[in-house]
């Protein structure tokens, strides 16, 4: 890939694309010579490389407004919100005389780490900065708001799909009996070209078919005519399967397009299926080199196309628009969905179900953190007339990014994407079964409503005893008779067997609201001390985040990484042991805090 090829990415990739225009709105200050190299990477959207440069100078003691702004933004654009919050915190320690977007971004990142109180404070400051006439993001104001949003937590059964990879998988769409989705997985024996945004491969489209028992089959490369050497993502198929709308980097007929500022943005394209081949690819007429158009969705009658853009007329970072598809396959004039749905923040990934409900992701409506998924009823025959915007609540939404929701209203089964802890990769696809009668879903399911795909983690509601006699120091897992939480070698993701045990712990903590615990995580004896301390801390943090994502307050959780200093067997450094023996040491434990 040439150095000047800079297509933009998603959260981890595409939902952050539209923030890029804000990068250039910050008034440039006289550049510190030490930051010239990372600043050059930053301006070229090479955020992973920029972070290394900024972190080097931060570790050497440099503290400047420019450093913390751009370090925070670099983490923000690749969806590392924990580190973004850290950088913005350092920024506000230096000064509060910064552009309004930094108040907003800091407030957003604080939500993802569970600090709602401080997030609300910075939202209030953001409101005062931008003025009362501009509606800011609607953040959680009190515990009753959280409970109201989560009143649907028992209406869904959620599972991770077995087809997820160790990188990113998201944006599922229906195509007959197939599921088409976006991934930057690394195919076997393939030459990989990485994108400098985050040093990961470009996005491509893939598809899978489910068997009669609802299990995911093999994953196939979607189509050589649709997939290019740059990004492809988010698809929408007409009911007859004849036409496909899709997102691609500005690259068409072997021509690489750039905006007036030198950025390669996103465009919408349409393809026609002739025989077994996708062909007649065309760029939609309302796209432009100078703004993004992405994430297509069709109305139930295939006569309207919904999409996302930051074109002129947008209220926020990205808005949802709709355009008529005429009978002669021409298009009307795109119209914004208005301020009932669009906010000054980000609205993205629309989907319209058969019952004319619009589902979309936003970080500008009342939410739990990052992007949340919302629904709103479209009133037929009315322009920009909608019902009330409703947060989908847990377990669909959580403290991280949740987006690209689709559902089959006949089967009440669907999919969405999330970068929540405990997944396989950066973004994962989850499947769900929806109970439209709003009867509580238990941990037992009839085979007739079996979820698609092989379960990796799921949301389970279990009956647990109230823990009455604890004084502190007890191992909660042993008190409950649970299996040990284990980790794979050099990994910190939550395994399926661990998720089942953690669901029991979460249920116990919910039923015992005064109980607080410390999560102690460990490694085996291989690798050096410093590496193992960092690895064990990641395991402790992943365990904590899993419990927090189940609704446990972070105030009741503490995470500690011990590295390899507390082994449970004889497998010390240099001692030959079986993999089974080493596995015994790669674990998390749960110590009840004293009262």
């Amino acid at each position: 890939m040439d150095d000047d090829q800079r297509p933009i990415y998603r959260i981890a990739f595409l939902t952050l694309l539209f923030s890029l225009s804000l990068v250039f709105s910050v008034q440039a200050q006289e550049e510190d010579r030490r930051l010239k190299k990372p600043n050059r990477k930053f301006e070229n959207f090479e955020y992973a490389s920029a972070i290394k440069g900024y972190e080097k100078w931060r570790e050497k003691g440099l503290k400047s407004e420019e450093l913390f702004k751009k370090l925070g933004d670099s983490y923000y654009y690749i969806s590392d919100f924990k580190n973004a919050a850290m950088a913005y915190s350092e920024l506000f320690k230096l000064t509060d005389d910064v552009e309004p977007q930094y108040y907003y971004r800091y407030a957003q990142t604080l939500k993802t780490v569970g600090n709602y109180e401080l997030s609300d404070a910075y939202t209030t400051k953001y409101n005062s900065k931008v003025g009362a006439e501009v509606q800011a993001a609607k953040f959680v104001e009190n515990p009753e708001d959280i409970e109201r949003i989560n009143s649907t937590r028992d209406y869904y059964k959620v599972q991770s799909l077995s087809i997820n990879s160790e990188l990113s998988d998201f944006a599922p769409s229906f195509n007959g009996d197939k599921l088409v989705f976006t991934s930057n997985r690394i195919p076997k024996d393939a030459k990989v070209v990485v994108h400098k945004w985050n040093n990961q491969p470009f996005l491509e489209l893939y598809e899978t078919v489910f068997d009669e028992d609802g299990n995911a089959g093999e994953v196939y490369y979607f189509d050589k005519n649709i997939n290019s050497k740059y990004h492809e993502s988010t698809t929408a198929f007409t009911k007859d399967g004849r036409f496909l709308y899709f997102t691609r980097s500005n690259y068409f007929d072997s021509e690489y397009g750039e905006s007036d500022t030198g950025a390669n943005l996103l465009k919408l394209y349409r393809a026609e299926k002739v025989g077994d081949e996708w062909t007649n690819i065309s760029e939609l007429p309302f796209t432009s080199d100078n703004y993004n158009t992405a994430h297509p969705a069709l109305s139930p009658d295939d006569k309207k196309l919904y999409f996302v853009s930051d074109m002129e007329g947008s209220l926020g970072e990205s808005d949802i628009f709709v355009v008529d598809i005429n009978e002669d396959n021409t298009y009307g004039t795109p119209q914004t969905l208005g301020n009932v749905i669009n906010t000054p923040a980000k609205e993205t990934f629309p989907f319209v179900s058969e019952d004319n409900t619009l589902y979309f992701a936003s970080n500008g409506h009342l939410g739990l953190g990052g992007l949340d998924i919302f629904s709103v009823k479209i009133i037929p025959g009315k322009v920009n007339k909608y019902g009330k915007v409703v947060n989908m609540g847990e377990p669909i939404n959580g403290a991280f990014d949740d987006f690209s929701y689709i559902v089959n209203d006949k089967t009440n089964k669907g999919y969405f994407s999330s970068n929540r802890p405990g997944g396989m990769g950066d973004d994962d696809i989850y499947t769900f079964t929806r109970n439209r009668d709003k009867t509580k879903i238990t941990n037992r399911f009839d085979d007739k409503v079996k979820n698609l795909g092989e379960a990796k983690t799921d949301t389970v509601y279990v009956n647990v005893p109230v823990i009455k006699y604890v004084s502190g120091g007890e191992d909660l897992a042993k008190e409950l008779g649970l299996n040990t939480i284990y980790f794979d070698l050099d990994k910190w993701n939550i395994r399926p067997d661990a998720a089942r045990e953690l669901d029991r712990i979460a249920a116990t903590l919910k039923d015992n609201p005064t109980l607080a615990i410390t999560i102690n995580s460990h490694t085996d004896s291989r690798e050096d001390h410093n590496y193992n301390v960092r690895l064990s801390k990641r395991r402790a943090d992943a365990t904590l985040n899993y419990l927090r994502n189940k609704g446990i307050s972070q105030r009741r959780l503490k995470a500690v990484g011990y590295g390899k200093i507390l082994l449970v067997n004889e497998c010390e450094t240099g001692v030959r042991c079986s993999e089974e023996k080493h596995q015994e040491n790669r674990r998390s434990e749960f110590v009840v805090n004293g009262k």
Side-chain angles (χ1 to χ4, degrees), residues 393-438:
E394 286 188 343
I396 300 298
N397 291 322
F400 290 78
D401 288 321
D402 306 291
F403 56 99
S404 64
Y405 176 105
I406 64 173
V407 66
N408 183 323
D409 283 330
K410 294 179 180 178
T411 64
N412 286 317
K413 295 177 180 178
Y415 306 86
F416 69 97
S417 305
S418 179
N419 65 348
R420 62 188 56 184
M424 176 70 76
D426 294 333
D427 295 313
D428 285 331
I429 300 173
Y430 293 81
T431 184
F432 63 86
T433 297
R434 180 178 64 181
N435 188 337
R436 294 299 294 267
D437 295 329
K438 298 187 177 180

Side-chain angles (χ1 to χ4, degrees), residues 39-171:
N39 282 352
R40 191 159 52 246
K41 299 291 186 183
F42 180 91
E43 289 162 6
N44 286 338
F45 311 141
E46 298 172 24
Y47 296 115
S49 297
I51 286 169
K52 291 181 181 179
Y54 292 134
E55 286 288 9
K56 180 185 77 172
W57 290 112
R58 185 185 68 82
E59 291 171 3
K60 289 184 176 182
L62 177 62
K63 293 185 178 182
S64 74
E65 182 179 334
E66 181 184 21
L67 170 65
F68 291 124
K69 279 182 178 179
K70 290 184 175 176
L71 178 60
D73 286 348
S74 297
Y75 280 123
Y76 185 86
Y77 293 143
I78 65 170
S79 290
D80 186 343
F81 297 130
K82 182 177 179 180
N83 279 313
M86 174 276 299
Y88 292 143
S89 174
E90 293 298 319
L91 170 65
F92 283 102
K93 288 177 183 177
L94 292 178
T95 179
D96 58 3
D97 185 19
V98 295
E99 295 81 357
Q101 64 260 33
Y102 288 100
Y103 286 87
Y104 175 76
R105 292 175 195 164
Y106 188 33
Q108 282 290 84
T109 58
L110 286 167
K111 279 204 303 183
T112 66
V113 297
N115 194 339
Y116 291 106
E117 184 176 352
L118 190 57
S119 174
D120 289 343
Y122 273 87
T123 301
T124 300
K125 293 178 181 180
Y126 171 75
N127 290 342
S128 67
K129 288 276 186 180
V130 298
E133 71 278 5
V134 178
Q135 177 190 10
K138 304 179 184 76
F139 284 73
V140 174
E141 296 177 355
N142 54 59
E144 287 74 22
D145 288 330
I146 291 282
E147 189 56 37
R148 176 171 58 80
I149 289 174
N150 287 336
S151 63
T152 60
R153 61 167 60 97
D154 294 337
Y155 305 157
Y156 298 91
K157 169 75 174 181
V158 173
Q159 293 180 312
S160 176
L161 284 181
S162 61
I163 60 173
N164 287 316
S165 70
E166 292 187 357
L167 292 178
S168 276
D169 304 275
F170 62 98

Side-chain angles (χ1 to χ4, degrees), residues 53-340:
Y54 292 134
E55 286 288 9
K56 180 185 77 172
W57 290 112
R58 185 185 68 82
E59 291 171 3
K60 289 184 176 182
L62 177 62
K63 293 185 178 182
S64 74
E65 182 179 334
E66 181 184 21
L67 170 65
F68 291 124
K69 279 182 178 179
K70 290 184 175 176
L71 178 60
D73 286 348
S74 297
Y75 280 123
Y76 185 86
Y77 293 143
I78 65 170
S79 290
D80 186 343
F81 297 130
K82 182 177 179 180
N83 279 313
M86 174 276 299
Y88 292 143
S89 174
E90 293 298 319
L91 170 65
F92 283 102
K93 288 177 183 177
L94 292 178
T95 179
D96 58 3
D97 185 19
V98 295
E99 295 81 357
Q101 64 260 33
Y102 288 100
Y103 286 87
Y104 175 76
R105 292 175 195 164
Y106 188 33
Q108 282 290 84
T109 58
L110 286 167
K111 279 204 303 183
T112 66
V113 297
N115 194 339
Y116 291 106
E117 184 176 352
L118 190 57
S119 174
D120 289 343
Y122 273 87
T123 301
T124 300
K125 293 178 181 180
Y126 171 75
N127 290 342
S128 67
K129 288 276 186 180
V130 298
E133 71 278 5
V134 178
Q135 177 190 10
K138 304 179 184 76
F139 284 73
V140 174
E141 296 177 355
N142 54 59
E144 287 74 22
D145 288 330
I146 291 282
E147 189 56 37
R148 176 171 58 80
I149 289 174
N150 287 336
S151 63
T152 60
R153 61 167 60 97
D154 294 337
Y155 305 157
Y156 298 91
K157 169 75 174 181
V158 173
Q159 293 180 312
S160 176
L161 284 181
S162 61
I163 60 173
N164 287 316
S165 70
E166 292 187 357
L167 292 178
S168 276
D169 304 275
F170 62 98
S173 68
F174 296 119
N175 180 26
D177 63 347
K178 298 176 181 177
L179 189 75
V180 178
F181 63 97
T182 303
S183 179
N184 67 338
R185 62 186 58 207
I186 302 174
K188 293 180 179 179
D189 303 321
K191 182 181 179 181
V192 176
V193 178
V194 299
H195 177 32
K196 293 182 180 179
W197 175 285
N198 62 356
N199 289 336
Q200 290 189 2
F202 284 86
L203 299 167
E204 305 282 9
L205 297 174
Y206 293 84
E207 65 181 358
T208 188
V209 181
F210 295 92
D211 63 25
E212 59 184 13
D213 294 323
N215 298 310
E218 293 293 321
V219 172
Y220 298 98
Y221 191 75
F222 178 66
D223 187 272
K224 61 181 176 58
N225 292 333
I226 302 299
N227 286 327
S228 71
K229 60 181 178 180
Y230 299 111
H231 291 305
E232 281 77 33
S233 180
T234 45
T235 55
F237 296 84
T238 55
K239 296 292 188 301
D240 60 8
R242 179 183 173 188
F243 292 108
L244 157 66
Y245 295 86
F246 65 100
T247 305
R248 180 192 281 173
S249 299
N250 186 356
Y251 180 74
F252 184 59
D253 280 346
S254 301
E255 293 290 329
Y256 180 88
E258 290 185 342
S259 69
D260 292 342
T261 60
N264 179 267
L265 304 181
L266 294 177
K267 287 190 174 183
L268 286 173
Y269 299 84
R270 191 185 78 162
E272 182 180 11
K273 194 161 193 180
V274 179
D276 294 328
E277 185 176 54
W278 287 107
T279 186
N280 298 331
I281 298 173
S282 60
E283 179 183 310
L284 298 193
F286 49 84
T287 62
S288 169
D289 290 346
N290 290 310
Y291 56 76
N292 293 285
T293 51
H295 311 323
L298 288 163
S299 61
D301 60 6
D302 289 337
K303 293 182 178 180
K304 292 182 182 295
L305 179 70
Y306 293 81
F307 65 95
V308 174
S309 182
D310 56 355
M311 66 171 64
E312 184 177 356
S314 300
L315 180 61
E317 294 180 49
S318 63
D319 282 9
I320 300 176
F321 289 77
V322 64
V323 64
D324 289 327
I325 303 174
N326 301 319
E327 291 186 4
D328 61 356
N329 287 322
T330 61
Y331 301 87
T333 301
Q335 303 290 327
T336 176
L337 297 195
N339 61 10
V340 171

